[in-house]
Amino acid sequence: MGHNLLVLEGDGIGPEIVAEAVKVIDRLCSHHGFQASVEYGLIGGAGIDSVGSPLPEETLECARLSDAILLGAVGGIEWDGLERHLRPEQGLLRIRTSLDLFANLRPAILYPSLTDTSTLKPEVVSGLDILIVRELTGGIYFGHPRGISELDDGEKQGFNTLTYRESEIERIARVAVDIASKRSAKLCSVDKANVLEVSELWRGKVTEVCDAIGGVSLNHMLVDNAAMQMIREPRQFDVIVTDNMFGDILSDVAAMLTGSIGMLPSASLNSRNQGMYEPVHGSAPDMAGKGIANPIATILSVAMMLRYSLEEPDLADKVEAAVQRVLDDGARTADLGGSMSTAAMGDAIVGQL
Ligand code: IPM
Ligand code: MG
């Protein structure tokens, strides 16, 4: 019995950071009554090198049967020359769409003891706690037609298509309104309605959903202004809901507010609350194999997994509290200005558990 977990280490620093997160899972099993069976699968460059596919069929089968998936990161320079549909990132994009993981939750929390590691002034960022709800399976990432074609005059033209169906907007809006109602009941929807028809539809639908559910105050912001406001006065935001592309960009901005992108976890959920959990950061090929990467984003992703897919909120609290305590004690990997190794950080967190 217990939960079925699938672990996908991926590329670059993926295996190193995932190893620390698995130590945390093992500790929960040995000391806190957590029950889980952990299987491993291939994705990204690791899948390409072993079986010629960034998302091997076997991985997808296991993923479908699992309760939750923990992913490291994918990509690296050795696969940069491949055609687009064979690249490591395709593994990630395909698993997101195959499991219909449309709701991507990206919290950006500044831990009190890290206030000075942000590049922004402490008085601007201290106490920051925002959540970006990013639509993950639609928009310009997946729209058709797409490609590079040759025009009559011989010049080449690249094209992608941005589409959203009402039902796609509605379901992500529901998730965002629901989450906002459990926090400060304040929701900001980000779009580009002064230029794009898709955004006009987005704005109308989000308003409709919010009015129908009630209890949450909604404002709309254009994406360029939102990017500026996130740097100018980030604490004006609580929950932000936005499309796939804008969410990709704004979540990197939010990450930096918290001092290091090495701190940020994420959850990608479908309507059955099956989820994939991964750090917001990438595979950092330049850091791979050196044992210097920060495993906290991956360990906090385990906490999100416990909360959102496995209905173990008490264990999620325990993991988050353990991270907070080691940070309060001064534990710092290189990205946070320290010299602690990946494994030492993992061990310190496990020690607190
Ligand atoms: C992310 C990443 C991915 C994305 C890439 C690796 C395809 O940047 O998860 O934010 O653009 O969604
Ligand atoms: Mg990104």
Side-chain angles (χ1 to χ4, degrees), residues 143-270:
H144 284 277
R146 61 188 298 160
I148 298 176
S149 65
E150 197 168 307
L151 299 170
D152 290 344
D153 62 7
E155 194 180 353
K156 282 187 182 162
Q157 168 177 269
F159 54 97
N160 290 87
T161 305
L162 170 59
T163 61
Y164 269 106
R165 301 169 73 105
E166 287 181 295
S167 54
E168 291 176 300
I169 304 169
E170 185 173 338
R171 63 182 187 172
I172 193 70
R174 282 189 182 283
V175 170
V177 172
D178 183 48
I179 290 180
S181 69
K182 292 175 188 148
R183 293 172 52 115
S184 70
K186 226 176 78 184
L187 178 63
C188 177
S189 173
V190 172
D191 61 36
K192 189 71 183 172
N194 55 345
V195 178
L196 304 174
E197 286 80 358
V198 174
S199 288
E200 190 185 315
L201 190 73
W202 177 280
R203 207 173 258 225
K205 203 71 206 174
V206 172
T207 305
E208 200 182 299
V209 169
C210 205
D211 287 351
I213 297 177
V216 166
S217 86
L218 171 70
N219 73 312
H220 300 277
M221 203 179 276
L222 298 172
V223 63
D224 49 351
N225 184 32
M228 180 182 78
Q229 295 297 339
M230 275 177 82
I231 305 295
R232 193 184 74 88
E233 199 195 331
R235 284 175 309 197
Q236 71 186 278
F237 297 106
D238 186 47
V239 180
I240 293 175
V241 62
T242 190
D243 82 359
N244 201 346
M245 173 82 115
F246 298 155
D248 179 44
I249 299 165
L250 291 181
S251 61
D252 268 32
V253 176
M256 213 45 228
L257 301 173
T258 69
S260 168
I261 197 166
M263 294 293 301
L264 296 204
S266 75
S268 306
L269 304 171
N270 62 23

Side-chain angles (χ1 to χ4, degrees), residues 7 21 28 37 39 68 118 141 151 212 226 240 260 276 281 283 303 316 327-328 339:
V7 171
L28 295 176
S37 63
E39 279 199 61
S118 174
Y141 273 54
L151 299 170
I240 293 175
S260 168
M276 182 162 76
H281 62 71
S283 58
L327 291 171
D328 289 347
S339 60

